[in-house]
Amino acid sequence: MRKRILCLLAALMLLVPAIPAAAQEMPEGTENFSYTFDGANIDDGSSMTTDANGKTKVIVLFKVGCGHCESVLEGIANSDWLKDEELADVYALAMDRGILDKTTYQEVNINADNVKDFRATYCSAANGRIQFGIHSRVISAMDRYAGAANLKDSQGYFTTPIIAIVDAENKLRDITSGSTDVVSTMKAKLEAIKTGNTQDPDPDNPNNPGTPDDPSDPDTPENPGTPDDPNDPDTPNNPGSPDDPSNPDNPSNPDDTQKPDQPEQPEQPVTEESSNDQPACSHRVESVLMSGSTDTTDAVVASKCVKCGAVLGYEKVANSAYHTFLKETADAIANAKEATVVIDAKMWVSFDKSVFEAIKSRPDVAVTVNYSYEGQKYVLQIPAGVNVDSLMDENGFGGFRYIEKVLNTSK
């Protein structure tokens, strides 16, 4: 059994760089992080809480202007399981900022009306089954949930929305990042909680559901599902744990003198809920630009409390690098001094309406675009005076491969 587990872990470690953060299976008995958002409800100003209140609850922490948030909440609103009122309640809580000012790259404050517009646009199919709120402490809750489920990258960034499932007994059962396909798996998770199933059930083992039987070590009341160590036969005081040669097991000192039989505790961010060393701060948070975007890297903002100075999290500003590329390209075309402008598209493969408007404003300028597509390098020649409207779709976007096809067809 141990060899098999080690092999699986080794294989997973090889895959880690290629997989985005995903749902975290919470250990049985994990307590919910209790947050009360006073006056958050956008309809009646009532308080909203992360506590279950005797019924399974899905908590979606999101921000307006986030593409992942739009798709996840729209998916939940259109899901069949949402119609089952006995399955779960759904709370969607927005941070009180989130719309990107494309001039300053700052996230600006939003209000309940913005959230109502979001609901009307993406969640009308829910027919009121999703309760919406907005509050300044949502960013603090996001950071703590993301940290508990290891959804942050090496620099402390995480993808919104954060989705948590709390069962009727107020135990955390699942925490998920919006970067994963959470909607398609949510129904099965909720139904498993409703029927009382535990994670990865093992029906053959009444004493230890969730642990598959090892053929070489069948379950027993004393040792359910854990292979014996030949050098350390199971005892009531120490089932299935290898002895440390320098510190043989005994009931009062099992193996580790520093942390006897205690799991390591993950570090929690300093918030008003987690710090016992200082008075609580009712954070008033603003977004602070840490680094601006380039044409290949997104801008980074920090969520910082203006009262106590605590940094509650960092986040990349989605699509800000693409926006910078488009702006620099449009400026280069509009301000061209030569008859031809050469654009190095780097990682990008399309223009938006702002670039096409620049091309339209300069019918005397030809545009040459050097770009890569599926590992191959291409050169796109857009002649001066071209019919620009034919190069973009109804939303104002035009991929380079599409533009080339249009130009070749019109010859």
Side-chain angles (χ1 to χ4, degrees):
M1 173 68 82
R2 285 177 182 159
K3 283 185 177 180
R4 190 162 57 199
I5 292 173
L6 288 173
C7 289
L8 286 171
L9 288 173
L12 285 171
M13 289 299 292
L14 293 175
L15 291 173
V16 163
I19 305 177
Q24 174 74 25
E25 290 187 352
M26 307 307 297
E28 286 293 331
T30 302
E31 294 291 341
N32 181 24
F33 303 132
S34 182
Y35 282 86
T36 298
F37 302 97
D38 295 327
N41 193 295
I42 61 173
D43 293 314
D44 59 15
S46 61
S47 295
M48 301 176 73
T49 178
T50 60
D51 290 343
N53 294 330
K55 183 178 179 181
T56 298
K57 181 180 289 186
V58 177
I59 304 157
V60 184
L61 305 174
F62 75 103
K63 67 176 183 178
V64 174
C66 160
H68 286 306
C69 303
E70 294 165 1
S71 60
V72 166
L73 280 164
E74 185 174 30
I76 292 175
N78 286 277
S79 62
D80 58 348
W81 62 260
L82 187 64
K83 300 173 184 176
D84 185 353
E85 295 189 9
E86 295 184 359
L87 198 59
D89 287 333
V90 180
Y91 277 20
L93 285 147
M95 49 194 288
D96 61 349
R97 60 202 176 283
I99 300 174
L100 177 67
D101 184 326
K102 293 184 178 180
T103 302
T104 64
Y105 297 111
Q106 294 280 355
E107 287 180 311
V108 299
N109 289 343
I110 62 171
N111 55 38
D113 288 337
N114 300 128
V115 181
K116 289 178 181 178
D117 290 342
F118 180 101
R119 178 177 61 185
T121 303
Y122 301 103
C123 298
S124 59
N127 294 320
R129 284 280 294 124
I130 303 176
Q131 296 190 51
F132 278 85
I134 179 173
H135 203 275
S136 61
R137 294 177 68 210
V138 169
I139 183 62
S140 177
M142 281 184 179
D143 186 75
R144 191 169 184 189
Y145 279 113
N150 296 318
L151 296 175
K152 298 182 182 181
D153 65 14
S154 59
Q155 295 177 299
Y157 306 134
F158 56 90
T159 301
T160 51
I162 299 296
I163 306 100
I165 300 178
V166 181
D167 68 18
E169 297 179 354
N170 218 37
K171 304 295 188 296
L172 269 171
R173 299 297 293 269
D174 190 81
I175 302 177
T176 315
S177 166
S179 61
T180 61
D181 185 12
V182 299
V183 177
S184 62
T185 60
M186 195 170 291
K187 181 178 181 180
K189 293 175 182 177
L190 294 173
E191 288 181 340
I193 293 172
K194 181 179 180 181
T195 57
N197 290 345
T198 57
Q199 297 160 357
D200 301 322
D202 175 21
D204 295 333
N205 175 20
N207 297 307
N208 184 30
T211 306
D213 289 337
D214 185 340
S216 62
D217 180 32
D219 294 334
T220 68
E222 294 77 25
N223 180 32
T226 305
D228 288 340
D229 185 332
N231 297 318
D232 178 31
D234 292 335
T235 69
N237 295 317
N238 182 32
S241 301
D243 282 340
D244 182 340
S246 63
N247 181 27
D249 290 336
N250 65 66
S252 62
N253 182 28
D255 285 341
D256 187 347
T257 58
Q258 301 300 317
K259 294 183 179 181
D261 291 341
Q262 293 295 320
E264 293 184 4
Q265 297 297 319
E267 292 185 2
Q268 298 290 345
V270 177
T271 68
E272 65 269 30
E273 288 80 12
S274 62
S275 174
N276 296 319
D277 300 327
Q278 59 184 14
C281 174
S282 55
H283 296 311
R284 185 161 64 87
V285 182
E286 67 177 18
S287 293
V288 178
L289 183 67
M290 303 301 292
S291 61
S293 64
T294 69
D295 58 358
T296 57
T297 59
D298 285 331
V300 175
V301 295
S303 297
K304 187 175 182 178
C305 177
V306 297
K307 296 169 66 177
C308 70
V311 175
L312 304 179
Y314 297 91
E315 192 169 0
K316 294 179 181 178
V317 181
N319 298 321
S320 57
Y322 181 54
H323 172 79
T324 297
F325 163 71
L326 295 172
K327 184 177 186 304
E328 291 179 352
T329 299
D331 289 346
I333 296 170
N335 301 318
K337 305 297 184 184
E338 305 293 334
T340 300
V341 174
V342 179
I343 304 298
D344 180 4
K346 299 182 175 67
M347 58 195 287
W348 309 111
V349 293
S350 65
F351 288 151
D352 78 343
K353 192 171 183 178
S354 66
V355 176
F356 291 119
E357 290 294 332
I359 296 174
K360 186 181 293 187
S361 72
R362 291 298 303 270
D364 58 319
V365 174
V367 179
T368 298
V369 184
N370 297 314
Y371 71 99
S372 296
Y373 181 75
E374 294 185 347
Q376 298 294 319
K377 293 184 177 181
Y378 296 90
V379 178
L380 170 64
Q381 302 281 358
I382 302 177
V386 69
N387 178 12
V388 176
D389 292 336
S390 67
L391 305 182
M392 55 181 168
D393 62 18
E394 64 275 11
N395 297 312
F397 284 90
F400 299 152
R401 302 300 291 163
Y402 172 77
I403 295 173
E404 193 162 349
K405 181 179 178 181
V406 171
L407 293 174
N408 289 336
T409 302
S410 62
K411 288 181 179 178

